[in-house]
Amino acid sequence: MVGVYCMSPDQGEPVYETFLLQLQEAFCSQAILMGDFNHLDVCWESNTAGCKKSRKLLECINDNFLVQVLEKPNRGEALLNLVLTNADELTKGVKVGGSLGCSDHALVEFVISRSVNLVRSKVKTLNFTRTNFQLFKELVNEIPWAEACSDRWSAMRDFGEC
């Protein structure tokens, strides 16, 4: 799973709590989440934060064994844009630099490396696109169902009386 997130600086607490719950659910399988998290007060080297929201984010990252991939600042001297993953091998060749248009955020580039194993299904399915259902209906209606099923019906009826 690959996701993108942008947190506005004035995002309310209920919305942020919902985001943290969704973050936990998203990382139940291999995933990458990238975006502008707007946590200026996080020190990624020491894994510390000043405000409550940032501490909750760090706690969520640690509780879910996530890795913050970016090491270089990407908005001035701040590391606001993050790339989080629970499988470090998914991200390769991370580069920070340049910008897109007139954005004040640096451009973040990386390769998502994912091995793909194609498996051929051994389950055979029938293709009914050219089936003549009218002919099928006529043939089914020609069967004398009362005679064909009478002995079986009596066997089932007798079995039910046991």
Side-chain angles (χ1 to χ4, degrees), residues 60-125:
C60 184
I61 289 171
N62 293 330
D63 288 351
N64 291 285
F65 305 102
L66 305 180
V67 177
Q68 200 295 106
V69 176
L70 299 179
E71 296 174 0
K72 295 181 181 177
N74 45 48
R75 184 171 180 230
E77 292 303 310
L79 185 57
L80 296 181
N81 298 327
L82 307 178
V83 177
L84 301 172
T85 183
N86 58 354
D88 200 23
E89 67 276 4
L90 288 178
T91 57
K92 302 284 184 221
V94 179
K95 292 187 254 176
V96 177
S99 66
L100 188 61
C102 57
S103 174
D104 60 345
H105 292 256
L107 193 62
V108 177
E109 294 180 67
F110 61 93
V111 175
I112 299 173
S113 73
R114 175 83 176 148
S115 62
V116 177
N117 297 328
L118 296 177
V119 178
R120 263 189 203 257
S121 173
K122 293 180 182 173
V123 175
K124 298 205 181 231
T125 58

Side-chain angles (χ1 to χ4, degrees), residues 2-161:
V2 176
V4 179
Y5 177 70
C6 181
M7 181 182 135
S8 71
D10 59 346
Q11 185 170 310
E13 192 70 28
V15 174
Y16 193 67
E17 290 294 329
T18 301
F19 162 71
L20 292 176
L21 290 172
Q22 290 172 340
L23 184 67
Q24 288 175 327
E25 289 177 20
F27 284 101
C28 288
S29 61
Q30 287 188 336
I32 298 171
L33 179 66
M34 61 194 122
D36 185 352
F37 285 74
N38 272 313
H39 287 281
L40 283 166
D41 62 324
V42 173
C43 176
W44 293 101
E45 290 176 8
S46 64
N47 202 32
T48 58
C51 78
K52 183 180 175 183
K53 268 187 179 178
S54 297
R55 285 192 301 272
K56 282 186 175 184
L57 176 67
L58 284 176
E59 184 180 310
C60 184
I61 289 171
N62 293 330
D63 288 351
N64 291 285
F65 305 102
L66 305 180
V67 177
Q68 200 295 106
V69 176
L70 299 179
E71 296 174 0
K72 295 181 181 177
N74 45 48
R75 184 171 180 230
E77 292 303 310
L79 185 57
L80 296 181
N81 298 327
L82 307 178
V83 177
L84 301 172
T85 183
N86 58 354
D88 200 23
E89 67 276 4
L90 288 178
T91 57
K92 302 284 184 221
V94 179
K95 292 187 254 176
V96 177
S99 66
L100 188 61
C102 57
S103 174
D104 60 345
H105 292 256
L107 193 62
V108 177
E109 294 180 67
F110 61 93
V111 175
I112 299 173
S113 73
R114 175 83 176 148
S115 62
V116 177
N117 297 328
L118 296 177
V119 178
R120 263 189 203 257
S121 173
K122 293 180 182 173
V123 175
K124 298 205 181 231
T125 58
L126 299 175
N127 182 354
F128 290 103
T129 55
R130 293 184 291 181
T131 303
N132 184 342
F133 285 103
Q134 185 58 41
L135 176 61
F136 180 74
K137 184 179 176 183
E138 290 169 9
L139 292 172
V140 167
N141 285 335
E142 289 177 9
I143 297 172
W145 290 105
E147 291 174 32
C149 298
S150 65
D151 58 332
R152 293 204 166 110
W153 176 248
S154 60
M156 284 178 48
R157 185 184 60 228
D158 295 343
F159 179 76
E161 293 175 0

